Every structure is written in structure tokens, then in C-alpha cells.
Amino acid sequence: MALKWCESIPIKRVKNLNKLDFEKDYLHTGQPVIIEGAVEHWPAKHWTLDNLCQRVGSNQCLVRGNTNREDYRLGKKYTIRETTLQEYVDDLLKENSRSKNSYLAVQNLNLAFPELQDDVPLPEYVGKIHCGPYMWIARKGHYEYCHTDPDDNFLVMIKGTKQLRLFGLDTEHMYPNIHGSKGKTLQSQINVEEPDLEKFPEFKNATCHHCVLSPGEMLFIPAFWWHQVTSLDVCISINMFFGDAGENIYLEKLMKPPFWPVFSYWLLNLVEQNRGHESFFQKMLSRLPDVLRNFLLKQWHEVPTDEQLDVLVATVKDYLKIDTLPEPEISSAKHPPQLKIRGLLWR
């Protein structure tokens, strides 16, 4: 659904898209697209809440709580509880008070539901999987806060429909939370359905790319594109995070326009998350090139060049307003400290 307070554009739909055209027209350029008919061969297309509960209803999973509060709509806060898939679905079907405050999100099939792995083959378009596939089951009306993910992303609808609004690689108009906000993603301060245009006037100049995603359709969400998702029905969906094939191509893409401004903001947000841990932070800074090298390898299986590391180190130094890094402490530690993602499980 279009938004009345900013320019709105429907997301392009295609069929029979080959891998080379996907890479040339969408992956490398960072443009969203809906691919129709791409998952016709998936066994997962036959999933229902009932048959999922028959197969994996007793499996333990983690569910978010407090998801109907304003703090959640702004991506600031939620709780986590452990339950079974059957119990979560029972709540959903009863439409009880707990179901209206809960969301089964980002459940790794390989860990939570290994029996379902073969139902979700990787699309041919995936160059290098970063993490996933993940299952999401949402109540009708669930609002997922506006945020960016640091990976390219395929979202596949299995049952129900979802409304999506994407806002591009845009920090100027989307008002990201200040550096140091928790989690792996960046969150916008804006509730896009009820924006405070006096507080966030530049949001009027954003561009909303929108669609309703139906069963069997797969949406490509480029890395670092802002997106907000609302479930129009009780929904089952799958997503996976990935990047370009090769050991350095994904990072090379992110370090160039138009990705660089949002990627660098995200990286500095993680730096700021660690800044309050003074002793650890100084040790991290003293071995910053190695810290960043290990972080990129762990996150994306990317091996940065020396030139790329120089740019990233300079970006961190400039942000911290320091000319030189601390001298490394004499230590027997083989590995450098980790750049840690702090707070908001999965986010």
C-alpha cells in the first residue's frame, strides 16, 4: 500500500528471471524485485499451520514478546520466551491476548526445525549464504519495525500475505537511531504508518517502494535497504540472508556508492555499541585491523584486502577523532578481541 505522505512506487515484478540477469539488473545495482514462480518446486509451498505442527509441533523455538507496544514499532525493545511451535500456533488460532503480543521470528530451520531443511532448497540466485534459511510465523496485523539488514535478503511467502514498504539506501530521510543502538540491524525512529512529521520532517522526501507479497512470490530486498513489513493475514514466510559469490566481491560492493553511506553508518553503530566497555574497547582498538578482518570473515565469509582494511580503519579513527591507534598490549592471546554485536537477540 502506498503512503500518502511521501512518493510511492510499486516494486517491479518479473517471471522466468535467469541468474545472470538477476545479478546484473538487481543484485549488483541494489534494486528490489519480486520474482514470481521461483519456488514452485519447493516442498515448503504445501506448508500449513496444521501440517507444520504435525511434523515439528513439539520442537522448541524462541518467540518475541511485547511486540504490540510502541517500543517494538520503533525497534527498541522486546522480550524473548521459549515455547513449542504447537503452543505458539494454539495461541495464534485462539487469537488470545498472548498471541496479540507475540511473534515467531528468525527461527533458523537448521537449528529449530531440522526436519524441514529439505523443504527449502536455496534459490539459484544465492551466491553465498550468510545465514538462514529462517522461518517467520505472524498473526494478522503484526507490524515489524522499519530497519535495515546488513545482507542481501530473499523473503518468500508460503501462506498468507504481507505488505512491504522499502525505502532505499537512505539515512537522510529515514532517521536511523543514534550510533550505539542495540542489535545487528539499524532501526528507524519512524513509525511509517503514523509518522511524526514535525519531529521527522525529512521523511516526506523519502521514496516508498511498496508491494503486497502473496504465496509463491519471492522478494529481493537489497542489503541495507530500509524495509517495514505488516502481516495482512496469519502468515508463514521464509527468508535467507546472502551475498555475492567470491571471497571479496560483497565487501567491494558495500564499500562503493550507493551502499557505502549506510554500510559505514552500520559499522560505526557497532563500534559505538562496544565503546562503553572501556578496557575491552581499548584492546579492540589496539588490534583494529585484525578485529575488522575477523569480523568480516565471521559475518560474511569475506576476506578484505589491505586497501579495504585501511579505508575501514581510517573511517573508525575519523569517527572517534583519533589520529593513531593504541599500542597493542603484550599478551599471549592468539586471537584479537571480537567486535561484538550487543543486545536485541537476532537483531
Side-chain angles (χ1 to χ4, degrees):
M1 183 183 296
L3 294 177
K4 62 183 180 181
W5 30 76
C6 62
E7 181 183 6
S8 294
I9 302 172
I11 296 173
K12 184 177 180 179
R13 294 173 173 270
V14 298
K15 294 180 179 178
N16 303 317
L17 181 65
N18 66 54
K19 183 178 181 180
L20 289 179
D21 285 341
F22 168 73
E23 292 175 348
K24 175 173 62 75
D25 296 336
Y26 304 104
L27 181 66
H28 299 328
T29 59
Q31 293 297 314
V33 65
I34 298 167
I35 306 174
E36 299 178 346
V39 297
E40 285 299 312
H41 62 293
W42 278 22
K45 68 176 287 188
H46 303 293
W47 285 355
T48 64
L49 292 180
D50 184 55
N51 64 37
L52 284 177
C53 286
Q54 290 176 18
R55 295 174 64 187
V56 294
S58 61
N59 290 36
Q60 294 291 309
C61 53
L62 298 175
V63 172
R64 294 179 187 174
N66 293 334
T67 58
N68 62 350
R69 298 185 179 182
E70 188 64 17
D71 272 353
Y72 188 82
R73 286 179 167 246
L74 300 180
K76 292 182 177 180
K77 188 178 181 181
Y78 51 80
T79 60
I80 296 289
R81 63 183 172 86
E82 187 172 7
T83 185
T84 64
L85 178 64
Q86 183 70 65
E87 183 178 57
Y88 176 76
V89 170
D90 286 345
D91 287 344
L92 208 60
L93 297 178
K94 293 174 184 175
E95 298 183 353
N96 59 24
S97 59
R98 186 164 64 176
S99 75
K100 296 175 183 177
N101 202 22
S102 300
Y103 185 30
L104 189 147
V106 209
Q107 292 302 282
N108 192 317
L109 289 187
N110 302 331
L111 300 177
F113 308 113
E115 302 90 338
L116 305 177
Q117 289 182 76
D118 292 341
D119 291 4
V120 183
L122 290 181
E124 63 172 326
Y125 312 108
V126 172
K128 181 169 58 178
I129 192 75
H130 289 171
C131 45
Y134 297 104
M135 180 193 288
W136 310 66
I137 300 179
R139 66 176 178 86
K140 180 179 179 179
H142 173 77
Y143 176 102
E144 184 68 358
Y145 51 83
C146 190
H147 66 281
T148 69
D149 293 297
D151 314 88
D152 290 315
N153 182 6
F154 277 131
L155 174 63
V156 181
M157 285 307 304
I158 304 298
K159 296 295 179 186
T161 55
K162 283 186 173 182
Q163 173 182 270
L164 286 105
R165 293 157 173 152
L166 281 61
F167 298 94
L169 298 160
D170 184 347
T171 54
E172 179 183 0
H173 304 126
M174 295 307 297
Y175 296 90
N177 284 333
I178 61 171
H179 282 130
S181 59
K182 302 301 184 183
K184 184 177 180 179
T185 68
L186 289 176
Q187 302 89 27
S188 172
Q189 300 178 59
I190 301 170
N191 178 341
V192 303
E193 291 190 339
E194 299 176 356
D196 184 339
L197 296 178
E198 291 188 5
K199 188 174 181 180
F200 307 116
E202 287 300 317
F203 182 56
K204 292 181 293 186
N205 297 317
T207 299
C208 173
H209 303 253
H210 62 92
C211 72
V212 171
L213 202 65
S214 298
E217 297 178 343
M218 180 167 73
L219 170 64
F220 172 58
I221 304 175
F224 291 106
W225 268 59
W226 296 96
H227 52 285
Q228 186 276 317
V229 185
T230 300
S231 298
L232 303 181
D233 311 286
V234 174
C235 291
I236 306 172
S237 56
I238 290 289
N239 93 302
M240 58 203 70
F241 296 115
F242 68 100
D244 305 72
E247 68 173 19
N248 192 256
I249 297 174
Y250 184 67
L251 180 61
E252 181 181 353
K253 177 174 76 174
L254 296 185
M255 292 186 68
K256 294 178 180 177
F259 296 92
W260 172 250
V262 189
F263 166 52
S264 58
Y265 193 103
W266 172 79
L267 180 64
L268 295 175
N269 185 64
L270 300 185
V271 169
E272 191 64 38
Q273 286 180 15
N274 289 270
R275 196 174 184 180
H277 303 263
E278 183 61 28
S279 176
F280 167 84
F281 190 64
Q282 291 303 311
K283 291 178 182 177
M284 190 185 81
L285 288 182
S286 73
R287 300 183 65 182
L288 186 59
D290 289 335
V291 167
L292 292 173
R293 183 182 290 108
N294 286 2
F295 177 78
L296 295 169
L297 184 62
K298 180 180 179 181
Q299 287 296 310
W300 299 321
H301 320 295
E302 293 284 290
V303 181
T305 65
D306 290 341
E307 291 77 12
Q308 288 170 331
L309 279 177
D310 287 343
V311 171
L312 295 175
V313 168
T315 300
V316 174
K317 288 167 61 179
D318 182 65
Y319 171 72
L320 296 175
K321 296 181 171 57
I322 57 176
D323 295 323
T324 59
L325 298 175
E327 287 293 326
E329 297 181 10
I330 298 174
S331 171
S332 59
K334 180 179 179 181
H335 301 291
Q338 292 184 22
L339 177 60
K340 296 182 180 180
I341 298 173
R342 300 180 182 272
L344 290 188
L345 184 61
W346 313 311
R347 281 300 192 204

